[in-house]
Amino acid sequence: MSALPATGRAWHLVARPHGWPKAEDVALREVPVTEPAPGSVLVRNRYFSVDPYMRGRMNDVKSYIPPFRLDRPMEGSAVGEVIASAAEGIAVGDHVLHFLGWREYSEVPAAQAVKVDPELAPLSAYLGVLGMPGLTAYAGLFEVGAFKEGDAVFVSGAAGAVGSLVGQLARIKGASRVIGSAGSEAKVKLLTEEYGFDAAFNYKSGPVGELLREAAPDGIDLYFDNVGGDHLEAAITSLNDFGRAVICGMISLYNETENPPGPRNLPMIIGKRLRLEGLMVNDHQKLQPRFVQEVAGWIASGELRYDETVVEGIENGYDAFMGLMRGENTGKMVVSL
Ligand code: NDP
C-alpha cells in the first residue's frame, strides 16, 4: 500500500455570513491525514456536492440539520475511492458515497459510507440525478405532490438539479402541460428544446405572475416550489381548484437578511381549496430503490436527460457554491478533485 499523504485540504467555515456570504467567511486549510480508526475508512474524494441548503447551515440557527461548526471542515455529500480501510466489508479500491465532503480526504465510519458502483453510473451522478436531488424531485412530485396523469405542472428553478428532473418526470408520467421558470434565455431554451417542457420563461424578464399566466393560460394543478417569494405568489394565483404545491425550497430568500412579507394572496388557498405541503427528502428514503431503478431506466432509454456543471479543483469549491447561488449552474453543480 502506498504511503498516505501527510495532509489534505479542507474548506472551513470561519465566520457566519450575514446576507450573501463573502470570501472571508471561509478558508481552505491543510489538515492532517491519518490512518483510519478501527471501523472507519479513508476516502480520497473525487467529487463533492455544493447544495443550496448549505447556506442555511452557515447560520447559527436551530433547523432540521445542525449548523456548520466554526473553524471545522464543512460537510456535505461526496464520492470517492477508499485508500485505506479498517472496516469490514469495505476494501481499498471500493467507491463510496458519504457525508464528509468539502475536503480532499475524509475519514468515514463504515456505517456512514454507502458503496457505489462507478461502472453503473458516473461517480458524479450519485450526487445528483441518482442521489439526493434526484430523490427530492421523485418523492416531491409523486409522494408529496400526489402527481396524477393529466396534471398541469409548474416547477421553478427548472434548469437546476431538482427542477430539471421534476419537469421531465412529470412529462414522462403524462402531465397535460409542463411549465418551467429559470434565470436565463439559454436555460429557457434548454427546457423547451432538450428537456421537453411545453413552455418556459425567464423570470428575470418580467413580473412572474404575468409570465406564468401567459405560459399556463388554463392554470396549473401542481406547483413544485424551489424558489419561494414572487414565484410562490404567482403559483397560488395560477393554481386551479384543489391544486397542490410542494414546498421544496425557497432559494430566493436564503441570502436575504429579512424575510419579505407575502405571498400576499394566501386567502386564495381557502376558496380554491389548495394544499401546500413542505417536503424533506430524508423522509422518503424508502423510495430510494424504486427511484434509482426507474430513473436509471429512463436515462438509459434516453427519455430523461440530465446536465452537470463540474467545477475543477478543490481551490474553486467555494466559488462553485457561490456560483450555484447566483445561477451559474445548469443541472447539478459538483466540484471535482
Ligand atoms: P439548483 O441546481 O436548482 O441550483 C440553484 C438554482 O437556484 C440556481 O441555479 C438558480 O438558477 C436558482 N436561483 C438562485 N437564486 C434565485 C432567485 N433569487 N430566484 C429564482 N431562482 C434562483 O439547486 P438544487 O436543485 O440542488 O435545489 C433546488 C431547490 O431545492 C433549492 O431551493 C433547495 O434548497 C431545495 N432542496 C430541498 C430539499 C428538501 O428536502 N426540501 C432537498 C434538495 C434541495 P436560475 O439561473 O434559474 O436563477
Side-chain angles (χ1 to χ4, degrees), residues 52 136 160-162 182-183 187 203 226 248-249 252 254 279 281 324-325 327 329:
T136 303
V162 174
K187 288 184 180 181
Y203 67 84
N226 287 315
C248 172
S252 71
Y254 294 172
L279 156 70
V281 62
L324 173 83
M325 287 287 161
N329 60 308

Side-chain angles (χ1 to χ4, degrees), residues 95-334:
H95 290 85
V96 293
L97 169 69
H98 62 87
F99 204 62
L100 296 173
W102 283 99
R103 61 198 95 174
E104 287 175 300
Y105 297 90
S106 304
E107 184 182 342
V108 186
Q112 294 165 26
V114 177
K115 275 203 238 182
V116 294
D117 185 349
E119 305 289 323
L120 275 185
L123 277 182
S124 55
Y126 294 102
L127 301 177
V129 67
L130 295 179
M132 183 278 281
L135 181 61
T136 303
Y138 187 91
L141 187 65
F142 298 130
E143 286 279 307
V144 179
F147 170 85
K148 51 186 191 315
E149 201 180 325
D151 278 344
V153 176
F154 170 48
V155 56
S156 54
V162 174
S164 59
L165 287 191
V166 169
Q168 293 185 84
L169 294 175
R171 164 177 55 70
I172 290 168
K173 288 288 192 177
S176 60
R177 190 168 177 80
V178 179
I179 303 120
S181 68
S184 73
E185 296 306 322
K187 288 184 180 181
V188 165
K189 206 164 163 218
L190 179 76
L191 296 179
T192 52
E193 295 185 5
E194 303 292 337
Y195 294 164
F197 283 54
D198 298 289
F201 61 84
N202 177 355
Y203 67 84
K204 294 175 182 166
S205 68
V208 180
E210 280 174 31
L211 295 166
L212 179 57
R213 249 193 313 277
E214 278 165 31
D218 297 326
I220 57 174
D221 304 302
L222 180 52
Y223 172 50
F224 195 108
D225 192 16
N226 287 315
V227 166
D230 53 357
H231 271 85
L232 179 56
E233 183 170 299
I236 289 172
T237 298
S238 278
L239 274 163
N240 297 323
D241 285 357
F242 299 101
R244 290 94 66 209
V246 179
I247 311 300
C248 172
M250 296 202 175
I251 196 167
S252 71
L253 310 183
Y254 294 172
N255 293 302
E256 294 296 320
T257 48
E258 281 177 31
N259 278 338
R264 295 164 295 182
N265 53 355
L266 288 180
M268 284 185 177
I269 293 174
I270 306 163
K272 297 199 214 182
R273 284 82 100 207
L274 303 181
R275 183 164 69 79
L276 280 68
E277 186 171 333
L279 156 70
M280 285 304 311
V281 62
N282 290 342
D283 294 345
H284 301 278
Q285 290 302 336
K286 65 178 188 312
L287 292 178
Q288 178 77 17
R290 175 151 59 93
F291 146 70
V292 169
Q293 194 190 13
E294 280 203 290
V295 168
W298 289 319
I299 293 171
S301 69
E303 281 173 277
L304 191 147
R305 276 201 42 184
Y306 72 95
D307 283 284
E308 291 174 344
T309 303
V310 182
V311 170
E312 305 275 341
I314 189 167
E315 61 281 5
N316 298 316
Y318 188 64
D319 286 346
F321 172 69
M322 291 308 295
L324 173 83
M325 287 287 161
R326 289 190 293 260
E328 287 167 15
N329 60 308
T330 298
K332 179 73 189 111
M333 183 75 112
V334 292

Side-chain angles (χ1 to χ4, degrees), residues 6-37:
T7 61
R9 291 170 293 174
W11 279 102
H12 293 56
L13 185 70
V14 298
R16 300 212 178 271
H18 183 68
W20 281 85
K22 298 183 291 300
E24 310 84 80
D25 296 330
V26 293
L28 185 60
R29 291 179 176 163
E30 297 273 343
V31 293
V33 175
T34 53
E35 288 287 344

